[in-house]
Amino acid sequence: MHTCSGVSCARLQRRNQKRGRLAKEINILGIETSCDETAAAVVADGRNIKSSIVASQIRLHAEFGGVVPEIASRAHIENIYPVIAEALARAGVQKGDIDAVAIANQPGLVVALIVGLTAAKTLAFAWEVPLIAVNHVHAHLQSAMLEEETLDLPAVALIVSGGHTNLYRCTSPLDLTLIGSTVDDAAGEAFDKVATILQLGYPGGPVIEKTAKSGNPKAIDFPRSMLDRESLNFSFSGIKTAVLYYCRGQDMKGADRVASMTPQEIADIAASFQAAVVDVLVKKTKRAAEQTQAKTVLLGGGVAANTALRNALQEMCDRTGRRLLIAPRPLCTDNAAMVASLAYHKFLAGEFADLDLEAKATS
Ligand code: KG4
Ligand code: ZN
């Protein structure tokens, strides 16, 4: 990290003084291309979302049952400038109104990250504003606290997405300590894989949730992995395998059984699977809140859109006297408003990136 990028500190100060910008709002352009969404947003002062544009590639990847990195990369290249242009237009701002450009440079698919990163560097350089590097998973957490004026900290944050299932102790937007994570599949990944097993399509989360509505969550007792241990880590590959064995038999020779199942049988599997995942997520979050004496629980990431999870976590928080803050649904899945919002805190802290910033697959 460095204090400035593409523009010297003295120049930045002079520029801000000239515009009187320090007394005015801080507009940050956020860019997000870590996986299969090309997104750009303009957020003022970390909380006022002036625009948030998301170009989803779901249609392109659906036929492959998952994200194909090369296809994602090419689609980002096609979408990135129209998406940024629309974010600026919808926000009613011009390049001179932007105080910094923020980019999620990790974690994610490097071939995808690099597209947004290159655009962000180019704009920061051309507009002579700082570049701010943001961790994509940390930004998901920002979606849950974006609308809050005050937070009772420390908080415990559960971030559940297609690539991550993380528990953090959070003492400020910039101060997160990882206290638990998955040892194998992420929760969203399990939803996606189980949807593939049940031949429900991609992405799995929304379609499993919809299918589960008419199912019995107690029909099948799928395993709740790693609940017996003290640790705050998760494991979801066992439950995915249990669904697979349930559908195809222990010898894995019954591949056609899913095709011949009734809609009710499929719904019961979806509901029982969802109940098992939610059960584990809620119990581990409760344990994390107890261990860290957190009064606030934050929930973000794509799987946070799931109503069963939202309700179960709310019920746990009500029962244990904790406050739950959940990301609004449009901000649960990947977006750039969360990137710009987290970047605001880095802007205030003077945490700017150099123009040789790299994309990284991992956190
Ligand atoms: O945060 P996100 O958009 O991308 C990553 O950073 O991974 O999360 C995408 C994940 C996918 O695995 C998707 O199936 C899951 O979030 N998801 C859901 C729901 N909506 C999206 N999972 C469960 N229930 C949902 N309603
Ligand atoms: Zn994400």
Side-chain angles (χ1 to χ4, degrees), residues 136 140 161-163 188-189 191-192 203-206 209 301-303 305-306 332-334:
H136 172 90
H140 268 301
S161 71
E189 195 179 352
F191 270 92
D192 294 334
E209 174 168 13
V303 184
N306 186 282
C332 285
T333 45
D334 290 349

Side-chain angles (χ1 to χ4, degrees), residues 69-305:
E70 295 306 323
I71 293 178
S73 183
R74 257 179 266 155
H76 284 312
I77 290 168
E78 279 172 23
N79 291 335
I80 189 78
Y81 283 106
V83 164
I84 291 171
E86 194 171 342
L88 294 173
R90 290 259 185 106
V93 298
Q94 297 182 337
K95 59 184 182 186
D97 301 316
I98 297 294
D99 296 278
V101 179
I103 178 66
N105 71 312
Q106 66 180 105
L109 301 167
V110 170
V111 289
L113 288 165
I114 213 155
V115 179
L117 179 59
T118 306
K121 284 179 184 179
T122 307
L123 292 177
F125 179 75
W127 295 349
E128 299 191 333
V129 294
L131 177 70
I132 300 177
V134 163
N135 179 302
H136 172 90
V137 186
H138 296 181
H140 268 301
L141 166 61
Q142 194 61 26
S143 300
M145 46 173 138
L146 200 139
E147 289 174 349
E148 288 310 304
E149 294 268 340
T150 51
L151 276 181
D152 196 356
L153 298 169
V156 151
L158 174 66
I159 302 302
V160 260
S161 71
H164 296 86
T165 307
N166 290 353
L167 276 167
Y168 295 95
R169 180 177 186 272
C170 165
T171 48
S172 85
L174 297 182
D175 191 2
L176 304 177
T177 310
L178 186 66
I179 54 174
S181 61
T182 181
V183 298
D184 42 53
D185 292 350
E189 195 179 352
F191 270 92
D192 294 334
K193 286 178 177 169
V194 166
T196 302
I197 296 168
L198 297 178
Q199 300 171 16
L200 292 172
Y202 172 85
V207 71
I208 292 268
E209 174 168 13
K210 192 162 166 257
T211 309
K213 283 202 174 98
S214 48
N216 173 6
K218 295 191 175 147
I220 307 143
D221 189 20
F222 287 127
R224 272 83 168 147
S225 303
M226 295 181 71
L227 269 190
D228 51 333
R229 306 186 201 166
E230 274 305 297
S231 114
L232 297 173
N233 288 335
F234 303 91
S235 165
F236 293 107
S237 79
I239 180 169
K240 170 200 68 189
T241 310
V243 174
L244 190 65
Y245 284 160
Y246 184 85
C247 293
R248 299 194 185 164
Q250 288 294 333
D251 57 4
M252 290 291 289
K253 286 187 180 156
D256 286 336
R257 214 171 92 72
V258 170
S260 61
M261 280 179 186
T262 64
Q264 189 58 53
E265 279 179 282
I266 300 275
D268 285 346
I269 297 170
S272 301
F273 160 77
Q274 180 175 270
V277 172
V278 167
D279 205 15
V280 173
L281 291 173
V282 172
K283 287 195 168 126
K284 291 270 174 168
T285 306
K286 178 169 177 278
R287 190 177 295 169
E290 283 163 1
Q291 286 182 14
T292 58
Q293 294 173 343
K295 287 260 175 272
T296 309
V297 174
L298 304 163
L299 174 66
V303 184

